[in-house]
């Protein structure tokens, strides 16, 4: 894995913050437009600018292999029918402080499917009807309608949201990160910046990876993974598919919020060449700071580590 790609993580289409008073909770507003898309399944919405970071002059030009294709220029064997929030993969970041109120309006513009959103790891204290599982917590948000979720940002930590309509919508792109900042962060002095990294397996046709159990797609039947993406990008070092990069500065320490949002792949083992990591949180819960060379994250799990850029370039 090559870490360099800049990720001022794209936020939702609309973010409005209303302060209720000093020391009191605030309300954070988001609005998402959920639509059908056609994408290259190995780099669904990565911009040409992102793909060309650190590459030679001319990258991303009209005839460059790195330029992001329009749907009718994507090779047939890479075409994927996607379902995205605000045209982004991974989807928009939900970010708030512990105890804030999050108000999210989801507008369903899918052609022929209802949808719901589940907020994986959040407790929904007092608002169980906003938890998202279809026909359990709520009815589906049908096409050409909208629904507003309103709930407390609790507990603090790293989480993620995903569609809970069926197993396929998440695999088609309806998922994204959640960061709830703790009122008193016990590890604040260990780092100066944060980054979110979502990992996932990628499939051109995720429907083929699920057998039908009753009325809904169920258990995965594909191999664990052939392609793994980092923040929505797979790479092999070619001009068409450059390696995912994460931009860092020498001497700085970063909190990396890792999220496994995979479908068929059950486990990722994460290492960073030439660097130790300090594990500080698992599934949103602070742990005793422990130095590790690698860690595992299974589907739905999150791990927060601190990494200091204290090695020579090349590691």
């Amino acid at each position: 894995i090559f870490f360099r790609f800049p990720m001022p993580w794209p936020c939702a289409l609309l973010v409005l913050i209303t302060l209720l008073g000093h020391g009191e909770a605030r309300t954070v507003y988001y609005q998402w437009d959920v639509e059908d898309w056609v994408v290259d399944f190995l780099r669904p919405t990565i911009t040409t600018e992102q793909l060309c970071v650190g590459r030679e002059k001319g990258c991303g030009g009209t005839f460059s292999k790195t330029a992001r294709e329009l749907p009718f220029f994507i090779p047939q064997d890479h075409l994927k029918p996607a379902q995205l929030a605000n045209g982004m993969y991974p989807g928009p970041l939900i970010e708030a402080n512990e105890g804030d109120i999050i108000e999210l309006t989801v507008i369903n513009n899918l052609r022929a499917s209802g949808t719901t959103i589940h907020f994986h790891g959040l407790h929904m204290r007092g608002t169980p009807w906003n938890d998202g599982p279809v026909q359990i917590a709520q009815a589906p948000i049908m096409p050409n309608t909208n629904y507003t979720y309103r709930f407390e940002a609790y507990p603090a930590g790293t989480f993620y949201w995903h569609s809970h309509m069926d197993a396929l919508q998440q695999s088609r792109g309806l998922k994204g990160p959640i960061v709830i900042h703790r009122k008193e962060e016990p590890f604040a002095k260990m780092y100066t910046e944060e980054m979110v990294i979502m990992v996932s397996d990628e499939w051109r046709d995720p429907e083929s990876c699920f057998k039908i159990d009753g009325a809904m797609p169920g258990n995965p039947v594909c191999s664990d993974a052939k392609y793994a993406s980092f923040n929505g990008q797979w790479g092999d070092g070619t001009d068409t598919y450059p390696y995912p990069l994460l931009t860092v500065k020498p001497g700085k320490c970063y909190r990396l919020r890792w999220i496994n949002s995979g479908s068929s792949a059950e486990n990722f083992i994460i290492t960073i060449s030439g660097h130790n990591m300090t594990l500080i949180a698992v599934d949103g819960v602070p742990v005793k700071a422990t130095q590790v060379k690698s860690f595992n994250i299974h589907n739905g799990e999150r791990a927060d580590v601190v990494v200091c850029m204290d090695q020579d370039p090349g590691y």
Side-chain angles (χ1 to χ4, degrees), residues 2-313:
F2 291 76
F3 294 92
R4 194 173 175 274
F5 58 112
M7 280 286 166
W9 194 278
C11 290
L13 179 66
L14 173 65
V15 181
L16 176 63
I17 297 174
T18 304
L19 294 179
L20 302 181
H22 181 71
E24 298 183 17
R26 60 181 182 172
T27 300
V28 185
Y29 297 89
Y30 293 91
Q31 180 175 300
W32 297 350
D33 186 359
V34 177
E35 294 182 293
D36 294 289
W37 282 66
V38 177
V39 300
D40 182 335
F41 82 103
L42 294 178
R43 54 180 224 194
T45 62
I46 298 296
T47 65
T48 301
E49 181 181 3
Q50 288 173 290
L51 289 171
C52 288
V53 169
R55 300 183 71 81
E56 68 280 355
K57 186 177 180 180
C59 175
T62 304
F63 299 103
S64 167
K65 293 181 180 179
T66 310
R68 181 181 173 191
E69 304 94 336
L70 296 173
F72 42 85
F73 288 140
I74 300 173
Q76 187 67 33
D77 59 350
H78 284 192
L79 281 172
K80 175 179 180 175
Q83 295 171 323
L84 306 178
N86 292 353
M88 296 163 56
Y89 180 74
L93 168 69
I94 293 177
E95 187 172 20
N97 294 328
E98 183 179 10
D100 286 348
I101 300 300
I102 296 171
E103 190 166 300
L104 165 65
T105 298
V106 177
I107 303 168
N108 183 2
N109 281 314
L110 298 174
R111 292 190 298 272
S113 177
T115 193
T116 66
I117 303 296
H118 172 61
F119 308 91
H120 189 93
L122 299 188
H123 289 183
M124 294 298 154
R125 297 193 303 188
T127 55
W129 54 86
N130 281 327
D131 196 41
V134 69
Q135 305 301 1
I136 298 175
Q138 67 173 105
I141 308 167
M142 298 305 291
N144 301 312
T145 66
N146 65 76
Y147 179 77
T148 298
Y149 294 90
R150 182 177 172 84
F151 54 89
E152 181 185 4
Y154 178 85
T158 303
F159 308 97
Y160 83 112
W161 61 266
H162 58 83
S163 166
H164 217 301
M165 183 70 186
D166 57 36
L168 292 176
Q169 287 191 353
Q170 174 177 333
S171 297
R172 286 178 173 150
L174 271 180
K175 55 187 176 183
I178 302 173
V179 174
I180 308 299
H181 295 285
R182 200 171 304 279
K183 291 179 179 178
E184 296 183 7
E185 175 53 59
F187 303 108
K189 294 182 179 180
M190 294 178 62
Y191 58 91
T192 54
E193 292 188 25
E194 299 185 5
M195 298 181 184
V196 175
I197 305 174
M198 290 189 71
V199 298
S200 178
D201 51 328
E202 300 297 340
W203 301 91
R204 176 181 178 269
D205 181 13
E207 188 169 6
S208 66
C209 294
F210 292 90
K211 65 182 181 181
I212 302 301
D213 288 343
M216 299 179 67
N219 298 326
V221 295
C222 289
S223 60
D224 279 352
K226 184 177 180 180
Y227 301 103
S229 69
F230 296 81
N231 285 343
Q233 182 186 353
W234 174 85
D236 60 3
T238 63
D239 287 340
T240 306
Y241 298 102
Y243 290 121
L245 300 174
L246 184 68
T247 297
V248 295
K249 295 180 180 179
K252 297 193 72 172
C253 295
Y254 296 83
R255 178 178 187 154
L256 304 182
R257 297 177 179 266
W258 291 86
I259 302 169
N260 182 349
S261 62
S263 53
S264 292
E266 298 175 357
N267 179 48
F268 284 87
I269 301 174
I270 307 298
T271 63
I272 299 180
S273 180
H275 292 73
N276 289 322
M277 300 172 282
T278 302
L279 182 68
I280 60 172
V282 175
D283 290 345
V285 180
V287 298
K288 180 180 179 181
T290 304
Q291 193 172 87
V292 297
K293 289 186 177 296
S294 67
F295 61 90
N296 290 28
I297 42 174
H298 294 259
N299 277 353
E301 293 182 341
R302 292 85 60 207
D304 293 25
V305 298
V306 173
V307 182
C308 294
M309 302 303 139
D310 54 5
Q311 302 296 314
D312 294 332

